[in-house]
Amino acid sequence: MKAILFALPVLALCLTACGEDDEPRLPYPIDPQYINFQAPEVGQYNEYESKLFTCGEFDAETRALIKWEVIAVTDSEVQIRETSDGEEITVFTADRLEEGWSISAEDRVRSNMLFFYGDDLIRVNAPTTAEVEQQDCVFFDGQDKFTGEYVARAEEFIVGDFGLRDMKVVSCVPTILDLDGYLLYNEYTLWASFSANNFSEEPFVQAFFLK
C-alpha cells in the first residue's frame, strides 16, 4: 500500500532554534551524489528525512525516508522516481527549461514533496526579489506572510538541529488548501520542503530535510 505522508494524523508542530553548537549548512559545495538541477545524471539521488514537531519544544519524530532518484535524462526532460522507505510513490517528469524545471499539476499532486506547490514551474535559475525571515512555522516578507510564486531569499533557516543558509524560497499554495507551504533550494538542488496547516488550533508541519 502506497504511503501518502500528507495524510498522516494531525499533530501540533513548532519550528525551534538551534543550540549554540549547531551551524546551519551552507549550500556549497554540492555533494556529487545529489540531484543537480543544472546537470542531472541517471543515478543521482536525494534522501529526505520526514519530520514532525511539537510546538514549544524540540521533539522531532522521524517518519519515512523519502528518496528522489534520477532514472532517465534527455536534453529536454528528467524523470524522477519518488519512494517512501523503498516503496514507490510516484514517477514524474520535469521539463528542463531555461528558467527551471516544469512539473505538471498531475505529477505534483502525487508527490509528498510537491503536493502543495501550485505552479508548474520551479524557478531554479530565477533571481530573488525579496528577503524573508522565518517566524515559527512560516516565513514573512516584512510584515506580511510570504505567499505567492515570487522567489525570495532566506538568509537563515533553522528547525531544531537542521539549519540552512542562503536559500531560495518559494511559496505558491492553491487557495483550496488551507496551509502554508515552502520549497527551499538553490540553483543546484532541493534542500527542504515543508507545509504548515491552518485548519487546527495548533498548526502542525510536515517537513522533509535533505540528509
Side-chain angles (χ1 to χ4, degrees):
M1 182 176 182
K2 294 185 177 180
I4 304 299
L5 296 183
F6 60 84
L8 290 170
V10 173
L11 294 178
L13 165 138
C14 182
L15 303 182
T16 60
C18 277
E20 293 181 0
D21 295 333
D22 297 318
E23 287 294 330
R25 295 166 70 183
L26 288 168
Y28 309 99
I30 185 173
D31 191 310
Q33 81 172 24
Y34 290 162
I35 295 172
N36 190 327
F37 288 142
Q38 307 300 330
E41 296 181 4
V42 173
Q44 291 175 347
Y45 67 92
N46 289 2
E47 290 182 325
Y48 300 91
E49 290 185 326
S50 171
K51 299 284 189 177
L52 295 174
F53 302 87
T54 302
C55 285
E57 60 186 60
F58 183 64
D59 186 20
E61 178 183 359
T62 300
R63 307 293 291 231
L65 183 69
I66 298 295
K67 183 176 182 179
W68 276 14
E69 183 178 7
V70 177
I71 59 175
V73 177
T74 69
D75 289 342
S76 59
E77 294 180 341
V78 58
Q79 194 170 62
I80 304 287
R81 177 189 293 120
E82 181 176 322
T83 59
S84 173
D85 285 343
E87 184 176 357
E88 184 175 300
I89 295 174
T90 186
V91 174
F92 63 87
T93 299
D95 294 327
R96 300 173 63 187
L97 307 177
E98 182 176 350
E99 301 92 341
W101 283 17
S102 180
I103 304 171
S104 71
E106 291 79 8
D107 282 339
R108 293 195 312 278
V109 74
R110 291 191 291 268
S111 168
N112 289 291
M113 303 284 291
L114 303 174
F115 73 94
F116 61 82
Y117 191 62
D119 193 320
D120 288 349
L121 184 61
I122 299 177
R123 292 169 172 79
V124 172
N125 298 316
T128 58
T129 59
E131 294 283 331
V132 295
E133 292 186 357
Q134 176 189 349
Q135 296 184 27
D136 295 325
C137 302
V138 297
F139 282 104
F140 279 80
D141 180 358
Q143 299 298 315
D144 299 322
K145 186 185 292 185
F146 173 42
T147 58
E149 59 187 283
Y150 63 98
V151 181
R153 174 184 175 272
E155 180 178 0
E156 190 172 77
F157 169 73
I158 297 176
V159 180
D161 58 0
F162 181 88
L164 295 170
R165 292 181 183 172
D166 194 21
M167 285 286 106
K168 292 183 178 181
V169 187
V170 288
S171 172
C172 186
V173 180
T175 56
I176 59 173
L177 297 177
D178 189 17
L179 53 78
D180 298 298
Y182 305 95
L183 302 177
L184 288 89
Y185 63 96
N186 61 7
E187 61 267 39
Y188 295 109
T189 204
L190 178 65
W191 290 82
S193 166
F194 71 97
S195 56
N197 81 70
N198 296 313
F199 50 80
S200 64
E201 291 183 1
E202 295 184 326
F204 73 97
V205 170
Q206 173 184 287
F208 302 93
F209 300 137
L210 183 61
K211 290 185 61 180

